[in-house]
Amino acid sequence: MKDMDGVAKRDPSNGHTKSLDAAPQSEEKLVERGQWTNKMEFVLSVAGEIIGLGNVWRFPYLCYKNGGGAFFIPYLIFLFTCGIPVFFLETALGQYTSQGGITCWRMISPLFEGVGYATQVIVALLNFYYIIVLAWGIFYLSFSFTWDLPWSSCNNTWNTATCTEFQRRNDSLDQSHLENATSPVIEFWERRVLRISSGIDHIGSVHWDLALCLLLAWVMCYFCIWKGVKSTGKVVYFTATFPYLMLLILLIRGVTLPGASRGIQFYLYPDLGRLGDPQVWMDAGTQIFFSYAICLGCLTALGSYNKYNNDCYRDCLALCFLNSGTSFVAGFAIFSILGFMSYEQNVPISEVAESGPGLAFIAYPRAVSMMPFSPVWACFFFIMIVLLGLDSQFVCVESLVTSVVDMYPTVFRRKNRRELFILAVSIVSYLVGLIMLTEGGMYVFQLFDYYAASGMCLLFVAVFETVCIAWIYGADRFYDNIEDMIGYRPGAIIKYCWLFFTPATCFGTFAFSLIKYTPLKYNNEYVYPWWGYALGWLLALSSMVCIPLWVVYHVYITKGTLKERLYYLTRPSPDLPKTKREQQRLLSIFPADPDGLDPQRSPPNMDGYLPVNAESHC
């Protein structure tokens, strides 16, 4: 199609340039793809995506699970060899191609388009279960509008005879009773919120109060992104900044509680013996990829709305250090509370709370209940939890929607069609999520968290992403593209990570995890039936098989000898933006006419780049 200046535009759905001059004048115009109004919208959107529940829930949980400070060693190794390089790669790729998570790989190398499909399968599965945490947060928030918080006492219908309010205990209490005692916070989580059954084979009925909370979460998510970057760019000014205020307040309160030093010591002093456990390394890699939203297509989608000359390298470095710094600080807030609970119960810190996603719904509510005017702080805290998860959730949905819209722009970039498509995605995801709000739903949630959007599937995709860019497209060529965008070449260490360290580290960890695979156990006790593990592996393979299947399919349908097919399928699209050096080379091949421009060629576009016609073979 052509714009008002007559510049040929590409149709990313097929990768070819075409003209629609013959189309009727009455044909409805496509809606503009859109861009961020300013840099701050992009920075806050990415910050809102990567700084979320992974920082205040997942990172402390993994530290707690893997022996405290020992977890920092593999975490930092993955950060510098995988996290920052792949984070920058995906953001720069989106900015360079101005395409979503699938069509960007199609333009770089058609053979590796399956990488894009794999990322979108992962993000689709993530959309099903991640928002469940928001539903829990909303549920807790609804119970916070009372003077006596229900998880601070044992005077509720769901409490058992062993429930003990430890903050009010008398030192003369029978110690044998304390050995079997449970906290009201844990009982509220397990017996009121989850109402958990004995196993995944006892799914039970849907908890409709939680289903209503999930519906509210999806309604908020929908209206945050229904107008694309126009609405998203404004919402993140609040959702990405407010949680920091509450995190700071809770940190100050936590470190001033008695026994906090116990938790902080457990947090900082590493148990080096744990480094021999492959699960520790697997969890470290998972946390980097999960927290940094790597291999989900989210960074590519957000970067695609940048202006071409935005300095994405500087933005990425700042965002990466902000993300890891937030995780580190949140760990202090969590572990100071765990130390306090350990002091109350007079037990080792490793026995204070159950391992699992419920850690933030046990430790943090305990901290809030110990503050003056606790209902007020409870409201603010759970609003923070909801906001932390909300911006991560709606960015993931935006990533999926952007990828599909960019594949079929003539279908979805019409009036109201994008909004209807987002609505359809939200409804389907809501219905699938209902199974995780049943009595056995927590077991299903754990399967999704352990297999679908975490672990080996992310490492598998990362290997192919870096191989495609560094070895097929060319690391030096991509560095030329980046230099053309930001005006300088980033440090060479990033390039060498793409070439060697990142794929080697990811592949090594992936292979190590397969060799030392440990089946999932809920709370380290419950063993799933065989079909539960089969379901988990099906979730993991559903994304990984996209890459080899697409390679086989595309090689099969392409004509020519095998060598000719591979040559064609590994060539980048001619519609990719040309660097200034490439433009000068083209001008030397096609010299301008006496008036300064070849009348047979289109003029430069708004970014100053010469479009390449479909019939050109240069």
Side-chain angles (χ1 to χ4, degrees):
M1 96 196 74
K2 294 187 177 183
D3 62 8
M4 296 179 63
D5 297 324
V7 180
K9 290 185 178 180
R10 63 177 179 269
D11 176 11
S13 63
N14 56 25
H16 297 288
T17 305
K18 61 182 181 181
S19 174
L20 299 180
D21 289 348
Q25 295 295 321
S26 60
E27 183 176 345
E28 183 182 1
K29 292 183 179 180
L30 297 183
V31 177
E32 289 294 328
R33 191 175 189 275
Q35 281 188 332
W36 301 114
T37 305
N38 53 60
K39 177 191 282 286
M40 186 57 66
E41 291 185 358
F42 166 70
V43 171
L44 289 178
S45 295
V46 177
E49 161 63 8
I50 65 177
I51 300 171
L53 297 172
N55 302 87
V56 300
W57 155 48
R58 194 180 182 90
F59 181 81
Y61 154 56
L62 292 177
C63 284
Y64 171 80
K65 173 185 174 184
N66 294 307
F71 187 69
F72 285 106
I73 296 175
Y75 177 84
L76 291 175
I77 291 175
F78 271 96
L79 172 63
F80 289 105
T81 61
C82 299
I84 295 176
V86 180
F87 187 93
F88 175 52
L89 182 151
E90 294 190 356
T91 306
L93 179 64
Q95 181 170 310
Y96 174 59
T97 61
S98 294
Q99 293 295 316
I102 296 177
T103 48
C104 69
W105 294 104
R106 176 186 298 172
M107 299 185 74
I108 291 294
S109 174
L111 189 67
F112 284 83
E113 188 177 343
V115 172
Y117 287 105
T119 61
Q120 296 313 302
V121 169
I122 295 173
V123 84
L125 296 175
L126 183 64
N127 289 338
F128 293 151
Y129 87 91
Y130 187 83
I131 200 170
I132 300 298
V133 183
L134 274 72
W136 293 335
I138 295 172
F139 188 78
Y140 269 84
L141 179 62
S142 67
F143 277 86
S144 301
F145 296 100
T146 58
W147 187 252
D148 293 320
L149 296 175
W151 56 82
S152 63
S153 68
C154 295
N155 302 322
N156 304 287
T157 57
W158 56 82
N159 292 126
T160 63
T162 58
C163 179
T164 301
E165 300 174 19
F166 293 104
Q167 72 272 24
R168 301 173 186 172
R169 74 179 185 184
N170 189 320
D171 291 336
S172 63
L173 282 175
D174 183 7
Q175 295 298 314
S176 62
H177 171 70
L178 289 178
E179 290 178 1
N180 299 319
T182 55
S183 166
V185 181
I186 296 178
E187 289 202 351
F188 180 81
W189 166 246
E190 294 184 345
R191 299 178 61 84
R192 180 64 185 92
V193 180
L194 299 181
R195 285 156 279 182
I196 193 167
S197 67
S198 59
I200 193 173
D201 46 352
H202 296 91
I203 287 293
S205 58
V206 174
H207 302 312
W208 291 108
D209 46 2
L210 285 173
L212 186 62
C213 294
L214 181 63
L215 177 62
L216 179 59
W218 270 114
V219 169
M220 291 190 297
C221 179
Y222 174 78
F223 284 106
C224 285
I225 62 172
W226 73 313
K227 290 298 183 183
V229 292
K230 292 180 180 179
S231 56
T232 304
K234 303 300 182 290
V235 170
V236 292
Y237 277 99
F238 177 70
T239 60
T241 56
F242 177 77
Y244 274 98
L245 176 62
M246 288 308 304
L247 184 60
L248 178 62
I249 294 173
L250 291 168
L251 172 65
I252 294 173
R253 176 57 178 167
V255 297
T256 57
L257 291 170
S261 58
R262 290 187 183 183
I264 294 174
Q265 183 178 12
F266 188 82
Y267 179 47
L268 294 179
Y269 283 82
D271 177 11
L272 297 179
R274 293 284 290 148
L275 296 179
D277 185 354
Q279 191 60 44
V280 175
W281 294 83
M282 189 68 181
D283 286 344
T286 298
Q287 172 59 18
I288 289 293
F289 281 75
F290 188 87
S291 178
Y292 281 76
I294 293 172
C295 300
L296 300 178
C298 298
L299 298 174
T300 305
L302 295 176
S304 70
Y305 294 110
N306 273 336
K307 294 179 172 60
Y308 183 80
N309 297 115
N310 176 63
D311 191 347
C312 56
Y313 179 64
R314 185 179 62 183
D315 295 342
C316 288
L317 288 180
L319 286 164
C320 285
F321 289 121
L322 176 66
N323 185 29
S324 292
T326 303
S327 297
F328 184 68
V329 172
F332 277 96
I334 279 282
F335 276 89
S336 61
I337 303 303
L338 291 179
F340 172 59
M341 295 175 69
S342 171
Y343 170 80
E344 285 187 320
Q345 297 180 357
N346 195 26
V347 295
I349 212 168
S350 58
E351 300 178 12
V352 168
E354 301 286 351
S355 297
L359 182 61
F361 294 101
I362 296 173
Y364 270 72
R366 162 66 81 186
V368 171
S369 66
M370 299 303 297
M371 295 180 180
F373 307 105
S374 55
V376 176
W377 296 111
C379 291
F380 277 114
F381 168 71
F382 288 112
I383 289 173
M384 180 194 75
I385 287 290
V386 171
L387 293 179
L388 280 172
L390 180 62
D391 46 14
S392 298
Q393 176 70 23
F394 68 63
V395 168
C396 284
V397 178
E398 175 66 34
S399 167
L400 179 64
V401 170
T402 296
S403 298
V404 177
V405 170
D406 283 344
M407 288 181 67
Y408 306 101
T410 56
V411 175
F412 292 108
R413 283 172 56 185
R414 306 283 184 183
K415 185 177 181 181
N416 297 329
R417 289 193 183 180
R418 190 180 190 278
E419 290 86 338
L420 291 175
F421 179 59
I422 296 174
L423 181 62
V425 170
S426 301
I427 293 174
V428 171
S429 300
Y430 171 75
L431 294 176
V432 174
L434 288 178
I435 194 173
M436 301 179 211
L437 299 180
T438 59
E439 295 171 19
M442 188 59 174
Y443 303 104
V444 180
F445 178 90
Q446 286 277 28
L447 282 178
F448 271 79
D449 185 51
Y450 193 82
Y451 291 99
S454 300
M456 59 187 69
C457 54
L458 297 178
L459 295 166
F460 184 80
V461 173
V463 171
F464 285 93
E465 282 192 2
T466 51
V467 167
C468 177
I469 291 294
W471 294 97
I472 305 301
Y473 182 76
D476 288 323
R477 177 192 288 183
F478 196 52
Y479 253 48
D480 290 340
N481 301 141
I482 293 171
E483 181 183 14
D484 190 61
M485 290 191 295
I486 67 177
Y488 61 92
R489 297 178 78 84
I493 185 64
I494 298 288
K495 180 175 69 175
Y496 290 117
C497 283
W498 293 342
L499 286 166
F500 306 109
F501 298 118
T502 303
T505 303
C506 292
F507 180 78
T509 308
F510 174 78
F512 198 45
S513 64
L514 285 179
I515 296 172
K516 299 289 186 178
Y517 166 71
T518 303
L520 170 67
K521 291 183 180 180
Y522 178 69
N523 276 349
N524 291 322
E525 295 178 356
Y526 174 75
V527 178
Y528 284 76
W530 69 267
W531 57 266
Y533 292 118
L535 177 60
W537 277 105
L538 181 62
L539 293 172
L541 292 173
S542 63
S543 58
M544 291 191 286
V545 297
C546 291
I547 299 175
L549 285 182
W550 183 261
V551 171
V552 173
Y553 168 73
H554 228 45
V555 169
Y556 176 76
I557 65 172
T558 304
K559 297 180 180 179
T561 65
L562 180 60
K563 184 177 180 180
E564 291 172 341
R565 297 179 189 183
L566 293 177
Y567 175 80
Y568 171 77
L569 293 174
T570 54
R571 298 283 293 175
S573 169
D575 293 321
L576 286 171
K578 306 298 179 185
T579 64
K580 294 180 177 61
R581 189 179 305 149
E582 290 173 323
Q583 292 184 56
Q584 292 172 357
R585 183 175 62 84
L586 288 174
L587 286 174
S588 66
I589 298 174
F590 300 100
D593 68 340
D595 295 329
L597 189 66
D598 185 347
Q600 299 300 319
R601 304 188 65 202
S602 301
N605 61 22
M606 55 189 294
D607 292 320
Y609 296 102
L610 292 170
V612 179
N613 295 329
E615 64 271 17
S616 174
H617 300 285
C618 61

